[in-house]
Amino acid sequence: MADEPAPSLTDDPLLAVYLERRANLVRFLAVRAGSLAVAEDLAQELYLRLAGRDRAEPVTNPAAMLYRMAFNLMLDRARGEARAAARDTAWRQVARTEVGGVEIADEPPADEAAASAQRLRQLIAAVADLPPQAGRAFRLHKLEGLSHAETARAMGLSVKAVEKHVSAALKALTAKLAPRSDA
């Protein structure tokens, strides 16, 4: 049994026509898609489809089939882009706020954002000032979301001790961060 040479890409009539007419295909697609870059992408996608297809089926008119496949790829891409645009438009309709016909941002005013950032910095500093055991219990339970039992296992303490540390931390933080009525 002798080794037979592997078939080359040009043994496929569709690939041969593709290679021969690639420049014309790109122009064909560019005119219809309105973009040379999109046409190049589509031509590459067409090549991948051709190279990966089942070659057992005979092709009676390779040029016609090639242009039909290219056109269908372009239509598929256009439909996908239209679906994406419709999805984005629908999302914007739901997610936006409009006042008097003018779209406004759903973000807090700058002064509120600055005040929130300042409160966050104060909280971070207050947590850092907690006693070590209370601070660790608070971080594990409240910030990392562990249960009291999981926190107790992680710290090597009883559940009751963790509850006391978390409670002490909350009291200390509340006292330190509570708004003052100095006015």
Side-chain angles (χ1 to χ4, degrees), residues 68-83:
R68 173 51 65 189
M69 288 175 72
F71 189 73
N72 287 343
L73 281 173
M74 186 186 61
L75 288 178
D76 288 347
R77 174 176 243 168
R79 287 183 192 123
E81 289 172 355
R83 282 191 304 271

Side-chain angles (χ1 to χ4, degrees), residues 122-130 134-135 138-139 142-143 165-179:
Q122 290 170 340
L123 175 62
I124 291 169
V127 170
D129 289 342
L130 290 172
F138 176 82
R139 282 190 294 279
K142 293 295 185 181
L143 302 180
H165 284 307
V166 171
S167 178
L170 287 172
K171 284 179 188 171
L173 292 173
T174 302
K176 194 164 192 168
L177 300 173

Side-chain angles (χ1 to χ4, degrees), residues 109-121:
D111 59 334
E112 288 180 24
S116 293
Q118 182 180 4
R119 284 193 301 273
L120 179 60
R121 284 191 299 275

Side-chain angles (χ1 to χ4, degrees), residues 153-171:
R153 276 193 297 279
M155 294 181 67
L157 300 173
S158 69
V159 173
K160 191 75 169 165
V162 167
E163 290 172 353
K164 286 182 182 180
H165 284 307
V166 171
S167 178
L170 287 172
K171 284 179 188 171

